[in-house]
Amino acid sequence: MEFEKERKHMVEYQLRARGIKDDRVLKAMESVQRHLFIDEDIWDRAYDDCALPIGEGQTISQPYMVAVMTELLELKGEETVLEIGTGSGYQGALLSLLASDIFSVERIKVLALRAAVTFKKLNIKNIHLVVGDGTLALSKEAVYDGIIVTAAAPRIPDTYINQLKVNGRLVIPVGNRFSQVLYQVKKTPSGFITNTSTPCVFVPLIGKYGWEKSET
Ligand code: SAM
């Protein structure tokens, strides 16, 4: 398989060495071919320790950040997960190996269409793609075991809190336009527990309960 050595190196030196412990996450990141989610012109940088451009002013996140966020979802395999910000589809492809059903929302249609082609090529069948504003609820009734927001929010939208199952986890970067902190919010039977993780920099979450386009 192409770039196998580079993926092993990425897992050892960018992820395990920095404290990523969840074996399922490490294994998934060793198997998903990150280069297939970016333009062939930049394949030589596919396993570098950084975010990369995917067109439309958007990015595929740094592998370490993807690993931290995925680990914070605490997935065991049976969950239904909502991802906001499909982007290239890389994060979704990882989630497809770690949970049962993935709903992934992207506001930029061409990115969603491109991700759909990649999922088809890789024979991924448990990702349901939706084009639209992911700060709005997908449906009035649906609730999820995990919600991962891969764009930066000015605050935690109630939409996500309301869509969490009891014992569910929300992972979301919150802050200003230029720097954020990663939050994990757990819904317990007796209320919410909020933990902060690492500082980070994400592209903005644009939508009704995110940033306005004119603010970005
Ligand atoms: N998870 C992606 C991946 O694996 O490539 C990286 C996501 S990129 C850092 C953030 C994405 O969020 C962009 O594609 C952007 O268009 C999308 N986005 C921003 N605001 C959104 C919204 N309100 N609803 C859905 N997608 C949104």
Side-chain angles (χ1 to χ4, degrees):
M1 226 199 265
E2 271 182 305
F3 296 109
E4 211 173 328
K5 212 173 96 219
E6 285 79 0
R7 269 194 303 287
K8 274 191 198 306
H9 191 274
M10 173 188 84
V11 166
E12 283 314 310
Y13 296 99
Q14 297 175 33
L15 311 185
R16 212 189 289 277
R18 286 191 184 131
I20 303 297
K21 289 193 175 65
D22 185 328
D23 274 333
R24 295 181 71 242
V25 173
L26 292 166
K27 214 167 149 206
M29 292 201 58
E30 194 170 320
S31 76
V32 175
Q33 302 181 76
R34 190 172 188 249
H35 63 280
L36 298 182
F37 296 84
I38 57 176
D39 200 287
E40 197 166 345
D41 291 350
I42 54 168
W43 275 13
D44 58 331
R45 294 160 62 200
Y47 299 94
D48 285 1
D49 188 15
C50 59
L52 291 169
I54 56 170
E56 311 303 315
Q58 306 302 320
T59 54
I60 179 172
S61 304
Q62 178 198 26
Y64 173 66
M65 197 50 62
V66 172
V68 171
M69 293 180 86
T70 310
E71 190 168 63
L72 287 172
L73 283 173
E74 299 175 12
L75 299 172
K76 301 286 178 262
E78 298 301 315
E79 298 85 353
T80 300
V81 177
L82 173 65
E83 178 193 22
I84 309 301
T86 312
S88 68
Y90 176 65
Q91 174 77 68
L94 289 163
L95 294 172
S96 78
L97 296 176
L98 296 167
S100 168
D101 272 294
I102 318 301
F103 292 82
S104 186
V105 188
E106 173 55 57
R107 61 178 283 275
I108 301 176
K109 194 171 175 185
V110 296
L111 293 180
L113 291 175
R114 225 176 276 155
V117 170
T118 312
F119 294 151
K120 188 145 193 234
K121 212 186 291 171
L122 296 175
N123 204 23
I124 296 173
K125 297 203 169 117
N126 59 342
I127 302 181
H128 315 281
L129 267 176
V130 179
V131 177
D133 176 3
T135 68
L136 304 173
L138 268 191
S139 90
K140 274 193 186 137
E141 303 82 27
V143 281
Y144 304 91
D145 302 290
I147 301 178
I148 176 169
V149 183
T150 66
R155 65 197 73 81
I156 299 176
D158 285 346
T159 334
Y160 302 141
I161 297 292
N162 296 336
Q163 290 182 98
L164 264 189
K165 276 188 195 167
V166 173
N167 297 322
R169 284 84 51 197
L170 162 67
V171 179
I172 181 169
V174 180
N176 62 36
R177 273 291 296 104
F178 307 103
S179 72
Q180 304 93 33
V181 171
L182 202 56
Y183 281 73
Q184 183 207 49
V185 182
K186 285 188 183 187
K187 184 173 185 173
T188 75
S190 54
F192 291 93
I193 300 172
T194 303
N195 299 307
T196 53
S197 175
T198 175
C200 52
V201 182
F202 276 83
V203 295
L205 180 73
I206 297 171
K208 185 162 182 201
Y209 300 110
W211 297 98
E212 278 184 29
K213 196 152 181 15
S214 59
E215 293 174 307
T216 63

